[in-house]
Amino acid sequence: MEPPVGKAQSLLLLAPVTALQCVGDRVLAGEGPNLLIYCLESGEQLVVTKCVPSVLSHYYIHGIRELQSPSSTKASETTVAVFGSKGLRVLTLSWGEKAESLTWMSQLCELHDWIWDLHWVQGPGKATLALALALGHNSVVLYDHIHQQILQEVHCEETCIIYSACLAGKDWQELVLVAGTVFNQLVIWHPADFTGEERRVKVERRISGHNGVIFSICYLESKGLLASASDDRSIRVWRVGDLRAPLSLVQCILVCYGHQSRVWAVQLLDNYIISIGEDSACIVWNYSGEIVQTFKGHKGRSIRAVTVHQTQAWMVTGGADSGIRLWPLRGNRLLGNSLLPLRFSSFTKKGSPKALTLVSSSWLLVMTDIGAVYLYDLTIKQWKFILDDINYQSYNLLDAVQLPGGSVICALGNLEGRIKIFPLHYPQEAKELKLYKGKVHGLSWVTRQPQDPLRHDSCCALFLSGPDGVLSWLDVSFCPLGKVDKVVERRRYVLPLCKQRWHTCLTFLPQGDFFVCGDRRGSLLLFPCGAATVKPSREERGGRESGSSTDGEESDHGSDRSLSPGEGAPVDLLYGIHGKQGVTSVTYHKGYVYSTGRDGSFQQLCVLGQQLRPLWKQKPCKGMDWVAGLSFAPDENLLVLGFHSTDFVVWSPRTHEKLHKVPCGGGHRSWGYTSTPATMVFAYIKAGDVMVYQAQEGGSSCQAVLKESLHGRELTCVRYVGSMKTQEGSNTTDILVTSSEDTTVNILAFVAASSTVFLLATINNHISSVRTLALCEANTNGGEAETGLRALLFSAGSRAEMQCYQLLVMPDLTTQAGLTCRVTHLISHRLDEHWDRQRNKHKVIKMNPETRYMSIVVVTSPQQSGFGLVLAAACSDGSVKLFLVDELARKLQLLAESFYHQRCVLKIQTFTYEAGTGTR
Amino acid sequence: MVSLRRPHVPRQPNSSSWSVMGRTSKDKRDVYYRLAKEEGWRARSAFKLLQLDEEFQLFSGVRRAVDLCAAPGSWSQVLSRKLGEDESPACIVAVDLQAMAPLPGVVQIQGDITKASTAQEIIGHFEGQPADLVVCDGAPDVTGLHDIDEYIQAQLLLAALNIAIHVLKPGGSFVAKIFRGRDVTLLYSQLRIFFPDVVCAKPRSSRNSSIEAFAVCRGFALPKGYVPSMLNPLLDHSYHGDFNQLEGPARVIVPFLACGDLSAYDSDRTYPLQLEGGSEYRYTPPTQPPISPPYQEACRLKKSGCLGRRTLQHETFFGAQEQGATSSSSSSSSSSSEDDDEDDQASEEQASDQDSDCTQDP
């Protein structure tokens, strides 16, 4: 990747953030051995203003301490000491309008032992400053950084290994050390207490209580409180009074259990206690020991560093995932989120709510089991009766749509195949039709980009599913006042044969020729809007069907062969792509179709000609088995709506957090969701009442991603895909892929000229850790016109799992990186797939080893050999396996395997032997 | 001081079938884990000591042995099974900060290896005689920050070395876990002061991905004029200069040996449950679950749904408390594995790699 120069130079390091310190409006971060200075003035955007490489030579930075000196009057200048391992260095930072300048106040000072804490103190001469250092074997050193001299060194009688230390006091005389030992104790002693040459100071006080090693200690002088964080997953707060004075009484005032794993650090603020831990959570506690806020968002296992701005209004955390995030410290003044029952029964005693729909963020429509419709106005908080009709009791379907003019049209469907269409404000104007002999299974309004500007808001499409898979498209036209003018059945379609044969969701494609429909069977269907004249392309596409259907045994019933699209059959069908539980939504966004399903995933597709081409299926959130819909925020951030066991959850894949969580009881009840930039509303029916959850700040996150995360766990492999320019004359961007034990693969764009990196896509299809990657030229005869960097990516790892993707990196100047990456998932392969399909597998022990792929390599590519793509894999069961890949048919086949090694095979490489190709 | 072994996070499976599924996969992933259970060892690390003995005949003629950082006790088990096979049994003393389930034939001391009193106590159990062999398989409470972990491991090794100096007979052997990190050469040079024969060995049962190895030191000889002292932390911890850069006689080169028979199982390989030539596979539960791990209370609260709820407690301590009052509940086996184990092999693997997973610092 680098041009061949004599010396390799590090351009960018993404490392765990091990130290953070707010200094004015700057944030200093220790990332590995590098010190980075970020500017926060621009609010949400963190700008790297300076990177100081290898501040402590090879030592990693573990702490940054600002000199709190009244003498430095300039607000734009500060002195900090940076330390880590056995090194420390002091520097002065000053900033003007734009640029920082940095002055070294000392050389790199190396000590003989590990530095756990550093504290600025008055030196022996009154005018001078010195550093007090707490060292690894419970000793304290008074250090002159300018002359690199140890002025004093005092040991404690307790010489055991310590895991944390905290120094307090203004000068040497009043200096006090609190050390966290491996005996789970806090040991307090005064270095100035030493007597004689032995320099062994007695421990003044030992505080016991923790059941594990102490990882962090914090002292808040103003309150006389000491806090400790431990391996036992608790935080304890101790009332100690003035540490410098002789201690009389130590009282444990709080024991806070809340972290799911070890607690790495604790900080005491005036009103809150902040802790960070190995569960990647940052918890804000109040002084009653209650959790006020829990911040989650960092990937992987640990938050390593936290710092609070001097205003104590917000804080910054740094993770082992190399990400940095900013959080507002709002305390109990939370957001204004509310969950309220609407007390339906207090308005009317007749009937109980059966179905609801949210028309807008202020209007909620509810239908009861006795066929009555009510409107609730969320702004004035009032119920209003709309109509009732005995024909629509017990079973009814309800949907409403707000027209661009503002008026609202409702539709009801019942058991006898009747539908009723009425404007919300003129319910007496209802039009009723009997469409079917049996019940109406599905009913949905679908808005459409106006084809004809003249018909702008006078017509709306209503789709209905009737018995035997009939899907009817009704055009409903309106008078200017919003009254229903005409209802015309435009076309009938037929859904593929299955048990639960009705549509669940529908969207028009903007070109206007087709619409995509999802059904209860989990299939996606492409229907023509007009009378189809084109022959189906099904036969031509042969092999693909079996690949895309998720369960083979039923796929034969998939298409109704007797029908042609002219008779209402779909022109394309992806049978059961979302499993048996059904498709929940289809959305069109920026050239792609997105569908969600109750299989816990969402699917990106594109429509090529008359084909629905699935690109990539993702499980957005662990444990969310029911994905209900997607929402694209104006800032292009994707939000996923779904049900996480019995909670409704709004998940942000970008920030990796649950924006909202409503304990609604699950997705089977009737519910509605709308969001605007200002507010988010979620309504549902529970226990005979209507509940409404309202939140300010619609879908925006409460955190700001100051620096994007990379991986949550150890990286296992990195590969170079290629280079490209985003536009003429711009810098070259290198495309890299990384894999990690966190089960994901990242596609990164790296701009060497600016040392910046952008995350283009994260692939999370692996069920276990990804250990190895391989790349190959992609087949280009897919008939697609897009130009860009194309590659075939293989990822493999634990549980004998291998995935194959086609990557297409294209310029897209609307994004930050100037590039987008389209991922097409081609193949998913597991050695023991037959095992997964076995029905009684929970009763039997699987005797086969669970092979890990340790290394994979492309042996031959079709471009080179004409033979086909052969992939070789080094496996943990001691074998080397060869696979044949058919990119077009989306198949991967085991060709041969050799158990020659009898040991875990770690690495595989190809080399050319005179007569052919050999491996390893 | 601290010792760390596999964290046995207590799991409450919903059904017996789940437990069979969940547990056998670990048996497949790690053959030594499985063999340890089948052979009754408390941890898979037992095989490391067995393989070290195979290579170096550490146990021949040993009458008195000390196991430092002994919990959960697998090395003590090996010592008690392998030593004193003739009529007079060997004397074995196991030292750890934390409580350990009792083992027949092993005297336990719950104490700190940085204390002179501990050395005295050990010698007391040997009736004033020095030890023939000192072993230490202690690892720190791994934080995941490699530099800290390597530092603490080095300190642990030096503490073990210091107490070994107090209790070893001239010519005795010392075996301790070592992380092959940046400063490993410095550690070797310190070991060489007391032992003319120092070898770094990696048994086959130690995972390839792990940074751990074992320093096998033989022929203990106290340098002239050296007075053993527990008061000072052993030796100078200065790391001035890069020891790896040293040349000539100052450069200590310690041979690195892979040990364990070539026919021994490969710890990185996944084996079928039905081993070739083995008896029919049956699931075996772990031999000895941990005694009061640090995360016990947190797990209890979580199980009862009280995590993060009832946190206010009032405890008052009057006056100083001496250490030891609480150490019965102390345990340092890492609690890093979150107990809400998902069906994600990655997280399980992490847990199973705990005892040795500290990969090389870049």
PDB file of all heavy atoms in Angstrom, chain A residues 211 231-233 257 260, chain B residues 6-10 290 292-301 331 333-337 339:
ATOM      1  N   ASN A 211     -14.872  -7.373  47.582  1.00  0.00           N
ATOM      2  CA  ASN A 211     -14.555  -8.790  47.443  1.00  0.00           C
ATOM      3  C   ASN A 211     -13.668  -9.065  46.243  1.00  0.00           C
ATOM      4  O   ASN A 211     -13.616 -10.176  45.750  1.00  0.00           O
ATOM      5  CB  ASN A 211     -15.845  -9.604  47.323  1.00  0.00           C
ATOM      6  CG  ASN A 211     -16.656  -9.522  48.585  1.00  0.00           C
ATOM      7  OD1 ASN A 211     -16.114  -9.606  49.678  1.00  0.00           O
ATOM      8  ND2 ASN A 211     -17.952  -9.314  48.432  1.00  0.00           N
ATOM      9  N   ASP A 231     -13.170  -5.416  41.120  1.00  0.00           N
ATOM     10  CA  ASP A 231     -13.389  -6.680  40.429  1.00  0.00           C
ATOM     11  C   ASP A 231     -14.722  -7.322  40.850  1.00  0.00           C
ATOM     12  O   ASP A 231     -15.310  -8.097  40.115  1.00  0.00           O
ATOM     13  CB  ASP A 231     -12.227  -7.603  40.808  1.00  0.00           C
ATOM     14  CG  ASP A 231     -12.186  -8.881  40.002  1.00  0.00           C
ATOM     15  OD1 ASP A 231     -12.926  -8.986  39.023  1.00  0.00           O
ATOM     16  OD2 ASP A 231     -11.398  -9.771  40.361  1.00  0.00           O
ATOM     17  N   ASP A 232     -15.209  -7.000  42.042  1.00  0.00           N
ATOM     18  CA  ASP A 232     -16.462  -7.605  42.499  1.00  0.00           C
ATOM     19  C   ASP A 232     -17.682  -6.923  41.869  1.00  0.00           C
ATOM     20  O   ASP A 232     -18.811  -7.174  42.277  1.00  0.00           O
ATOM     21  CB  ASP A 232     -16.545  -7.611  44.031  1.00  0.00           C
ATOM     22  CG  ASP A 232     -16.672  -6.212  44.641  1.00  0.00           C
ATOM     23  OD1 ASP A 232     -16.856  -5.245  43.885  1.00  0.00           O
ATOM     24  OD2 ASP A 232     -16.577  -6.097  45.872  1.00  0.00           O
ATOM     25  N   ARG A 233     -17.442  -6.055  40.903  1.00  0.00           N
ATOM     26  CA  ARG A 233     -18.480  -5.384  40.113  1.00  0.00           C
ATOM     27  C   ARG A 233     -19.234  -4.318  40.897  1.00  0.00           C
ATOM     28  O   ARG A 233     -20.289  -3.858  40.452  1.00  0.00           O
ATOM     29  CB  ARG A 233     -19.481  -6.393  39.532  1.00  0.00           C
ATOM     30  CG  ARG A 233     -18.800  -7.473  38.722  1.00  0.00           C
ATOM     31  CD  ARG A 233     -19.787  -8.425  38.088  1.00  0.00           C
ATOM     32  NE  ARG A 233     -19.055  -9.478  37.381  1.00  0.00           N
ATOM     33  CZ  ARG A 233     -19.624 -10.434  36.687  1.00  0.00           C
ATOM     34  NH1 ARG A 233     -20.924 -10.468  36.578  1.00  0.00           N
ATOM     35  NH2 ARG A 233     -18.900 -11.325  36.071  1.00  0.00           N
ATOM     36  N   TYR A 257     -24.194  -1.760  43.105  1.00  0.00           N
ATOM     37  CA  TYR A 257     -24.075  -2.841  42.123  1.00  0.00           C
ATOM     38  C   TYR A 257     -24.933  -2.465  40.921  1.00  0.00           C
ATOM     39  O   TYR A 257     -26.114  -2.175  41.084  1.00  0.00           O
ATOM     40  CB  TYR A 257     -24.579  -4.159  42.703  1.00  0.00           C
ATOM     41  CG  TYR A 257     -23.603  -4.872  43.607  1.00  0.00           C
ATOM     42  CD1 TYR A 257     -23.680  -4.757  44.982  1.00  0.00           C
ATOM     43  CD2 TYR A 257     -22.595  -5.665  43.061  1.00  0.00           C
ATOM     44  CE1 TYR A 257     -22.784  -5.423  45.813  1.00  0.00           C
ATOM     45  CE2 TYR A 257     -21.705  -6.334  43.885  1.00  0.00           C
ATOM     46  CZ  TYR A 257     -21.798  -6.215  45.255  1.00  0.00           C
ATOM     47  OH  TYR A 257     -20.908  -6.886  46.057  1.00  0.00           O
ATOM     48  N   GLN A 260     -22.537  -5.105  34.797  1.00  0.00           N
ATOM     49  CA  GLN A 260     -22.667  -6.531  34.504  1.00  0.00           C
ATOM     50  C   GLN A 260     -21.306  -7.225  34.561  1.00  0.00           C
ATOM     51  O   GLN A 260     -21.219  -8.434  34.379  1.00  0.00           O
ATOM     52  CB  GLN A 260     -23.228  -6.728  33.092  1.00  0.00           C
ATOM     53  CG  GLN A 260     -24.472  -5.966  32.817  1.00  0.00           C
ATOM     54  CD  GLN A 260     -25.699  -6.742  33.207  1.00  0.00           C
ATOM     55  OE1 GLN A 260     -25.610  -7.919  33.533  1.00  0.00           O
ATOM     56  NE2 GLN A 260     -26.838  -6.096  33.194  1.00  0.00           N
TER      57      GLN A 260
ATOM     58  N   ARG B   6      -9.321 -20.547  35.187  1.00  0.00           N
ATOM     59  CA  ARG B   6     -10.567 -20.465  34.445  1.00  0.00           C
ATOM     60  C   ARG B   6     -11.708 -20.001  35.332  1.00  0.00           C
ATOM     61  O   ARG B   6     -11.941 -20.525  36.404  1.00  0.00           O
ATOM     62  CB  ARG B   6     -10.869 -21.871  33.942  1.00  0.00           C
ATOM     63  CG  ARG B   6     -12.193 -22.026  33.263  1.00  0.00           C
ATOM     64  CD  ARG B   6     -12.323 -23.452  32.799  1.00  0.00           C
ATOM     65  NE  ARG B   6     -11.043 -23.947  32.299  1.00  0.00           N
ATOM     66  CZ  ARG B   6     -10.509 -23.572  31.181  1.00  0.00           C
ATOM     67  NH1 ARG B   6     -11.133 -22.712  30.424  1.00  0.00           N
ATOM     68  NH2 ARG B   6      -9.352 -24.047  30.816  1.00  0.00           N
ATOM     69  N   PRO B   7     -12.434 -18.984  34.903  1.00  0.00           N
ATOM     70  CA  PRO B   7     -13.587 -18.574  35.691  1.00  0.00           C
ATOM     71  C   PRO B   7     -14.745 -19.526  35.446  1.00  0.00           C
ATOM     72  O   PRO B   7     -15.207 -19.681  34.321  1.00  0.00           O
ATOM     73  CB  PRO B   7     -13.913 -17.193  35.156  1.00  0.00           C
ATOM     74  CG  PRO B   7     -13.330 -17.160  33.791  1.00  0.00           C
ATOM     75  CD  PRO B   7     -12.265 -18.215  33.696  1.00  0.00           C
ATOM     76  N   HIS B   8     -15.151 -20.196  36.484  1.00  0.00           N
ATOM     77  CA  HIS B   8     -16.295 -21.087  36.324  1.00  0.00           C
ATOM     78  C   HIS B   8     -17.536 -20.286  36.630  1.00  0.00           C
ATOM     79  O   HIS B   8     -17.987 -20.229  37.764  1.00  0.00           O
ATOM     80  CB  HIS B   8     -16.200 -22.263  37.290  1.00  0.00           C
ATOM     81  CG  HIS B   8     -15.029 -23.129  37.018  1.00  0.00           C
ATOM     82  ND1 HIS B   8     -15.039 -24.097  36.048  1.00  0.00           N
ATOM     83  CD2 HIS B   8     -13.810 -23.153  37.572  1.00  0.00           C
ATOM     84  CE1 HIS B   8     -13.862 -24.707  36.036  1.00  0.00           C
ATOM     85  NE2 HIS B   8     -13.103 -24.142  36.934  1.00  0.00           N
ATOM     86  N   VAL B   9     -18.054 -19.613  35.654  1.00  0.00           N
ATOM     87  CA  VAL B   9     -19.246 -18.815  35.884  1.00  0.00           C
ATOM     88  C   VAL B   9     -20.397 -19.787  36.082  1.00  0.00           C
ATOM     89  O   VAL B   9     -20.647 -20.631  35.232  1.00  0.00           O
ATOM     90  CB  VAL B   9     -19.518 -17.894  34.696  1.00  0.00           C
ATOM     91  CG1 VAL B   9     -20.796 -17.105  34.917  1.00  0.00           C
ATOM     92  CG2 VAL B   9     -18.350 -16.957  34.502  1.00  0.00           C
ATOM     93  N   PRO B  10     -21.054 -19.677  37.202  1.00  0.00           N
ATOM     94  CA  PRO B  10     -22.142 -20.630  37.419  1.00  0.00           C
ATOM     95  C   PRO B  10     -23.262 -20.424  36.420  1.00  0.00           C
ATOM     96  O   PRO B  10     -23.695 -19.304  36.188  1.00  0.00           O
ATOM     97  CB  PRO B  10     -22.610 -20.308  38.848  1.00  0.00           C
ATOM     98  CG  PRO B  10     -22.068 -18.980  39.164  1.00  0.00           C
ATOM     99  CD  PRO B  10     -20.898 -18.732  38.272  1.00  0.00           C
ATOM    100  N   PRO B 290     -15.359 -22.792  41.554  1.00  0.00           N
ATOM    101  CA  PRO B 290     -14.603 -21.862  42.398  1.00  0.00           C
ATOM    102  C   PRO B 290     -15.342 -21.597  43.705  1.00  0.00           C
ATOM    103  O   PRO B 290     -16.561 -21.663  43.770  1.00  0.00           O
ATOM    104  CB  PRO B 290     -14.521 -20.596  41.561  1.00  0.00           C
ATOM    105  CG  PRO B 290     -15.682 -20.680  40.641  1.00  0.00           C
ATOM    106  CD  PRO B 290     -15.929 -22.124  40.389  1.00  0.00           C
ATOM    107  N   SER B 292     -16.430 -18.983  46.322  1.00  0.00           N
ATOM    108  CA  SER B 292     -16.773 -17.564  46.446  1.00  0.00           C
ATOM    109  C   SER B 292     -15.947 -16.642  45.552  1.00  0.00           C
ATOM    110  O   SER B 292     -15.056 -15.956  46.019  1.00  0.00           O
ATOM    111  CB  SER B 292     -16.676 -17.101  47.894  1.00  0.00           C
ATOM    112  OG  SER B 292     -15.386 -17.325  48.410  1.00  0.00           O
ATOM    113  N   PRO B 293     -16.230 -16.637  44.255  1.00  0.00           N
ATOM    114  CA  PRO B 293     -15.535 -15.720  43.358  1.00  0.00           C
ATOM    115  C   PRO B 293     -15.982 -14.277  43.613  1.00  0.00           C
ATOM    116  O   PRO B 293     -17.031 -14.061  44.227  1.00  0.00           O
ATOM    117  CB  PRO B 293     -15.980 -16.187  41.975  1.00  0.00           C
ATOM    118  CG  PRO B 293     -17.293 -16.830  42.195  1.00  0.00           C
ATOM    119  CD  PRO B 293     -17.248 -17.421  43.567  1.00  0.00           C
ATOM    120  N   PRO B 294     -15.209 -13.283  43.154  1.00  0.00           N
ATOM    121  CA  PRO B 294     -15.539 -11.882  43.442  1.00  0.00           C
ATOM    122  C   PRO B 294     -16.914 -11.479  42.920  1.00  0.00           C
ATOM    123  O   PRO B 294     -17.556 -10.614  43.491  1.00  0.00           O
ATOM    124  CB  PRO B 294     -14.447 -11.094  42.726  1.00  0.00           C
ATOM    125  CG  PRO B 294     -13.433 -12.044  42.291  1.00  0.00           C
ATOM    126  CD  PRO B 294     -13.971 -13.420  42.390  1.00  0.00           C
ATOM    127  N   TYR B 295     -17.320 -12.106  41.827  1.00  0.00           N
ATOM    128  CA  TYR B 295     -18.559 -11.672  41.193  1.00  0.00           C
ATOM    129  C   TYR B 295     -19.786 -12.343  41.799  1.00  0.00           C
ATOM    130  O   TYR B 295     -20.889 -12.163  41.322  1.00  0.00           O
ATOM    131  CB  TYR B 295     -18.506 -11.959  39.691  1.00  0.00           C
ATOM    132  CG  TYR B 295     -18.041 -13.344  39.346  1.00  0.00           C
ATOM    133  CD1 TYR B 295     -18.905 -14.425  39.408  1.00  0.00           C
ATOM    134  CD2 TYR B 295     -16.721 -13.576  38.973  1.00  0.00           C
ATOM    135  CE1 TYR B 295     -18.474 -15.698  39.121  1.00  0.00           C
ATOM    136  CE2 TYR B 295     -16.275 -14.856  38.684  1.00  0.00           C
ATOM    137  CZ  TYR B 295     -17.162 -15.912  38.757  1.00  0.00           C
ATOM    138  OH  TYR B 295     -16.722 -17.180  38.485  1.00  0.00           O
ATOM    139  N   GLN B 296     -19.576 -13.124  42.853  1.00  0.00           N
ATOM    140  CA  GLN B 296     -20.675 -13.893  43.418  1.00  0.00           C
ATOM    141  C   GLN B 296     -21.880 -13.035  43.801  1.00  0.00           C
ATOM    142  O   GLN B 296     -23.007 -13.305  43.407  1.00  0.00           O
ATOM    143  CB  GLN B 296     -20.168 -14.639  44.649  1.00  0.00           C
ATOM    144  CG  GLN B 296     -21.075 -15.749  45.091  1.00  0.00           C
ATOM    145  CD  GLN B 296     -20.430 -16.553  46.210  1.00  0.00           C
ATOM    146  OE1 GLN B 296     -19.817 -16.000  47.123  1.00  0.00           O
ATOM    147  NE2 GLN B 296     -20.553 -17.858  46.137  1.00  0.00           N
ATOM    148  N   GLU B 297     -21.609 -11.957  44.540  1.00  0.00           N
ATOM    149  CA  GLU B 297     -22.694 -11.106  45.012  1.00  0.00           C
ATOM    150  C   GLU B 297     -23.391 -10.424  43.826  1.00  0.00           C
ATOM    151  O   GLU B 297     -24.617 -10.347  43.770  1.00  0.00           O
ATOM    152  CB  GLU B 297     -22.133 -10.061  45.988  1.00  0.00           C
ATOM    153  CG  GLU B 297     -23.119  -9.000  46.441  1.00  0.00           C
ATOM    154  CD  GLU B 297     -24.221  -9.547  47.338  1.00  0.00           C
ATOM    155  OE1 GLU B 297     -24.193 -10.739  47.663  1.00  0.00           O
ATOM    156  OE2 GLU B 297     -25.120  -8.772  47.690  1.00  0.00           O
ATOM    157  N   ALA B 298     -22.592  -9.955  42.867  1.00  0.00           N
ATOM    158  CA  ALA B 298     -23.171  -9.290  41.695  1.00  0.00           C
ATOM    159  C   ALA B 298     -24.073 -10.251  40.927  1.00  0.00           C
ATOM    160  O   ALA B 298     -25.144  -9.869  40.454  1.00  0.00           O
ATOM    161  CB  ALA B 298     -22.061  -8.747  40.800  1.00  0.00           C
ATOM    162  N   CYS B 299     -23.648 -11.498  40.811  1.00  0.00           N
ATOM    163  CA  CYS B 299     -24.459 -12.484  40.092  1.00  0.00           C
ATOM    164  C   CYS B 299     -25.734 -12.791  40.859  1.00  0.00           C
ATOM    165  O   CYS B 299     -26.789 -12.959  40.264  1.00  0.00           O
ATOM    166  CB  CYS B 299     -23.657 -13.772  39.868  1.00  0.00           C
ATOM    167  SG  CYS B 299     -22.404 -13.597  38.619  1.00  0.00           S
ATOM    168  N   ARG B 300     -25.601 -12.849  42.177  1.00  0.00           N
ATOM    169  CA  ARG B 300     -26.792 -13.127  42.983  1.00  0.00           C
ATOM    170  C   ARG B 300     -27.816 -12.007  42.805  1.00  0.00           C
ATOM    171  O   ARG B 300     -29.002 -12.245  42.605  1.00  0.00           O
ATOM    172  CB  ARG B 300     -26.397 -13.253  44.451  1.00  0.00           C
ATOM    173  CG  ARG B 300     -27.511 -13.778  45.349  1.00  0.00           C
ATOM    174  CD  ARG B 300     -27.147 -13.662  46.821  1.00  0.00           C
ATOM    175  NE  ARG B 300     -26.985 -12.286  47.257  1.00  0.00           N
ATOM    176  CZ  ARG B 300     -28.006 -11.445  47.494  1.00  0.00           C
ATOM    177  NH1 ARG B 300     -29.245 -11.850  47.318  1.00  0.00           N
ATOM    178  NH2 ARG B 300     -27.775 -10.209  47.882  1.00  0.00           N
ATOM    179  N   LEU B 301     -27.322 -10.767  42.837  1.00  0.00           N
ATOM    180  CA  LEU B 301     -28.226  -9.629  42.670  1.00  0.00           C
ATOM    181  C   LEU B 301     -28.868  -9.644  41.293  1.00  0.00           C
ATOM    182  O   LEU B 301     -30.038  -9.341  41.123  1.00  0.00           O
ATOM    183  CB  LEU B 301     -27.454  -8.314  42.861  1.00  0.00           C
ATOM    184  CG  LEU B 301     -27.087  -7.973  44.299  1.00  0.00           C
ATOM    185  CD1 LEU B 301     -26.148  -6.780  44.338  1.00  0.00           C
ATOM    186  CD2 LEU B 301     -28.344  -7.674  45.105  1.00  0.00           C
ATOM    187  N   SER B 331     -11.017 -13.596  46.331  1.00  0.00           N
ATOM    188  CA  SER B 331     -10.652 -14.522  45.292  1.00  0.00           C
ATOM    189  C   SER B 331     -10.334 -13.672  44.095  1.00  0.00           C
ATOM    190  O   SER B 331     -10.931 -12.648  43.884  1.00  0.00           O
ATOM    191  CB  SER B 331     -11.802 -15.456  44.984  1.00  0.00           C
ATOM    192  OG  SER B 331     -11.818 -15.741  43.627  1.00  0.00           O
ATOM    193  N   SER B 333      -9.842 -14.917  40.890  1.00  0.00           N
ATOM    194  CA  SER B 333     -10.052 -15.431  39.548  1.00  0.00           C
ATOM    195  C   SER B 333     -10.887 -14.408  38.804  1.00  0.00           C
ATOM    196  O   SER B 333     -11.817 -13.834  39.340  1.00  0.00           O
ATOM    197  CB  SER B 333     -10.762 -16.769  39.607  1.00  0.00           C
ATOM    198  OG  SER B 333     -12.024 -16.589  40.157  1.00  0.00           O
ATOM    199  N   SER B 334     -10.502 -14.187  37.615  1.00  0.00           N
ATOM    200  CA  SER B 334     -11.078 -13.080  36.874  1.00  0.00           C
ATOM    201  C   SER B 334     -12.566 -13.266  36.692  1.00  0.00           C
ATOM    202  O   SER B 334     -13.048 -14.341  36.395  1.00  0.00           O
ATOM    203  CB  SER B 334     -10.429 -13.010  35.507  1.00  0.00           C
ATOM    204  OG  SER B 334     -11.243 -12.263  34.674  1.00  0.00           O
ATOM    205  N   SER B 335     -13.260 -12.193  36.874  1.00  0.00           N
ATOM    206  CA  SER B 335     -14.699 -12.249  36.670  1.00  0.00           C
ATOM    207  C   SER B 335     -15.059 -11.559  35.385  1.00  0.00           C
ATOM    208  O   SER B 335     -16.124 -11.008  35.233  1.00  0.00           O
ATOM    209  CB  SER B 335     -15.393 -11.584  37.828  1.00  0.00           C
ATOM    210  OG  SER B 335     -14.907 -10.272  37.964  1.00  0.00           O
ATOM    211  N   SER B 336     -14.129 -11.551  34.486  1.00  0.00           N
ATOM    212  CA  SER B 336     -14.338 -10.740  33.296  1.00  0.00           C
ATOM    213  C   SER B 336     -15.450 -11.266  32.410  1.00  0.00           C
ATOM    214  O   SER B 336     -16.050 -10.522  31.668  1.00  0.00           O
ATOM    215  CB  SER B 336     -13.060 -10.684  32.480  1.00  0.00           C
ATOM    216  OG  SER B 336     -12.816 -11.953  31.949  1.00  0.00           O
ATOM    217  N   SER B 337     -15.711 -12.550  32.502  1.00  0.00           N
ATOM    218  CA  SER B 337     -16.727 -13.040  31.583  1.00  0.00           C
ATOM    219  C   SER B 337     -18.088 -12.625  32.092  1.00  0.00           C
ATOM    220  O   SER B 337     -18.457 -12.905  33.215  1.00  0.00           O
ATOM    221  CB  SER B 337     -16.646 -14.552  31.480  1.00  0.00           C
ATOM    222  OG  SER B 337     -17.066 -15.109  32.685  1.00  0.00           O
ATOM    223  N   ASP B 339     -21.808 -12.717  32.854  1.00  0.00           N
ATOM    224  CA  ASP B 339     -22.513 -13.957  33.122  1.00  0.00           C
ATOM    225  C   ASP B 339     -23.746 -14.113  32.256  1.00  0.00           C
ATOM    226  O   ASP B 339     -24.373 -15.148  32.256  1.00  0.00           O
ATOM    227  CB  ASP B 339     -22.859 -14.069  34.599  1.00  0.00           C
ATOM    228  CG  ASP B 339     -23.468 -12.803  35.117  1.00  0.00           C
ATOM    229  OD1 ASP B 339     -23.152 -11.735  34.561  1.00  0.00           O
ATOM    230  OD2 ASP B 339     -24.268 -12.860  36.022  1.00  0.00           O
TER     231      ASP B 339
END
